[in-house]
Amino acid sequence: MVKRKILEEGREYSFRSYFELPYETDEILAEFDYSFIKQRLSLPTTTKHLNRLIQLKETIEDILPLVSLSSEMARRESLVSPVLLDIIRYCQCQLKFEYTLNVSSWLKGKLDYLVQSNQDLLVIEAKNDDMTRGFTQLAVELIAMSHVEEQNILYGAVTMGDVWRFGKLDRSQQTIFQDVNLFRVPDDLEDLIKVMVGILDGVEI
């Protein structure tokens, strides 16, 4: 396959730029010498007892009919942040908001959320719409993280709050994998949290 040159030398691109570019995910990732594969991922899953799950699910179900989810900020505040705040309590992790990363003129910007434990990390990209372009942005953010972290495998997720999709960077294969499975909130909340805690606790697959 002939690689199409789409990024311009001498121009700067933020992470947000990749959400806005009118190109396919595989074409953009090829600029960084990464392949792109969609498949059902086998994700780490914790066996911890999630003692706050019932309360969180009830809270989300109670507020969903009352909150307008017409903006990214609304989705972050009402759906994403409550989930992540519970995650860090299970893992005793660090949660960073709007985390600035500056690797190069093509790899820079702010990560919506970065969750870091002693074992692993998780990049979260929150969007109001367009999960496809949102995943492209997430994939580039994972590539940027691979320049500053030593792990061979890095995980991330793109979310609209009520829907989540995971991605995985494999440094040795120079490949970004997109999970074909979606986690829906509140119906799949337990499975979603088990996966995120599993990733951050370094659970072996």
Side-chain angles (χ1 to χ4, degrees):
M1 184 179 73
V2 178
K3 178 179 173 182
R4 179 158 64 132
K5 189 69 180 171
I6 58 178
L7 300 184
E8 300 174 21
E9 295 293 342
R11 180 179 167 186
E12 297 194 354
Y13 295 87
S14 68
F15 297 138
R16 174 73 189 187
S17 301
Y18 298 101
F19 179 80
E20 297 168 348
L21 287 174
Y23 301 105
E24 298 294 329
T25 303
D26 60 336
E27 294 180 306
I28 291 174
L29 299 187
E31 291 282 67
F32 300 98
D33 297 318
Y34 266 79
S35 300
F36 176 57
I37 296 175
K38 297 179 185 179
Q39 65 180 42
R40 184 172 294 276
L41 293 180
S42 177
L43 296 166
T45 304
T46 188
T47 56
K48 278 183 179 177
H49 173 57
L50 306 175
N51 60 338
R52 285 178 291 276
L53 178 67
I54 294 175
Q55 182 179 358
L56 176 62
K57 190 170 184 178
E58 287 177 349
T59 299
I60 290 173
E61 288 180 341
D62 285 347
I63 65 170
L64 269 178
L66 307 173
V67 176
S68 170
L69 299 177
S70 57
S71 71
E72 183 179 315
M73 182 58 68
R75 291 173 181 273
R76 284 199 206 185
E77 293 291 330
S78 59
L79 292 173
V80 182
S81 290
V83 170
L84 295 182
L85 290 173
D86 261 15
I87 296 296
I88 63 172
R89 292 167 73 188
Y90 290 125
C91 304
Q92 293 299 295
C93 302
Q94 292 292 314
L95 172 59
K96 298 172 183 177
F97 298 83
E98 299 290 327
Y99 181 74
T100 300
L101 191 58
N102 191 347
V103 175
S104 70
S105 59
W106 287 4
L107 292 171
K108 64 178 188 175
K110 292 183 178 181
L111 311 178
D112 285 344
Y113 305 92
L114 176 64
V115 194
Q116 282 186 298
S117 68
N118 292 329
Q119 288 78 31
D120 221 319
L121 60 85
L122 185 59
V123 176
I124 311 291
E125 180 60 36
K127 291 296 179 194
N128 186 40
D129 55 23
D130 203 333
M131 291 277 283
T132 300
R133 292 187 186 277
F135 190 89
T136 302
Q137 181 176 338
L138 171 70
V140 175
E141 291 170 354
L142 289 173
I143 291 171
M145 286 299 299
S146 74
H147 286 266
V148 298
E149 296 290 334
E150 296 180 355
Q151 294 101 310
N152 184 51
I153 302 292
L154 295 173
Y155 289 99
V158 60
T159 180
M160 294 193 302
D162 50 353
V163 181
W164 293 67
R165 167 168 275 144
F166 285 92
K168 180 176 79 171
L169 177 147
D170 188 317
R171 192 199 309 265
S172 63
Q173 296 184 44
Q174 287 286 109
T175 301
I176 299 284
F177 295 90
Q178 181 189 85
D179 193 4
V180 298
N181 183 49
L182 292 172
F183 293 81
R184 302 186 184 279
V185 173
D187 291 354
D188 303 322
L189 184 62
E190 181 175 0
D191 292 337
L192 173 67
I193 290 180
K194 282 182 174 180
V195 167
M196 287 197 280
V197 174
I199 289 170
L200 293 162
D201 279 351
V203 171
E204 296 290 334
I205 300 175

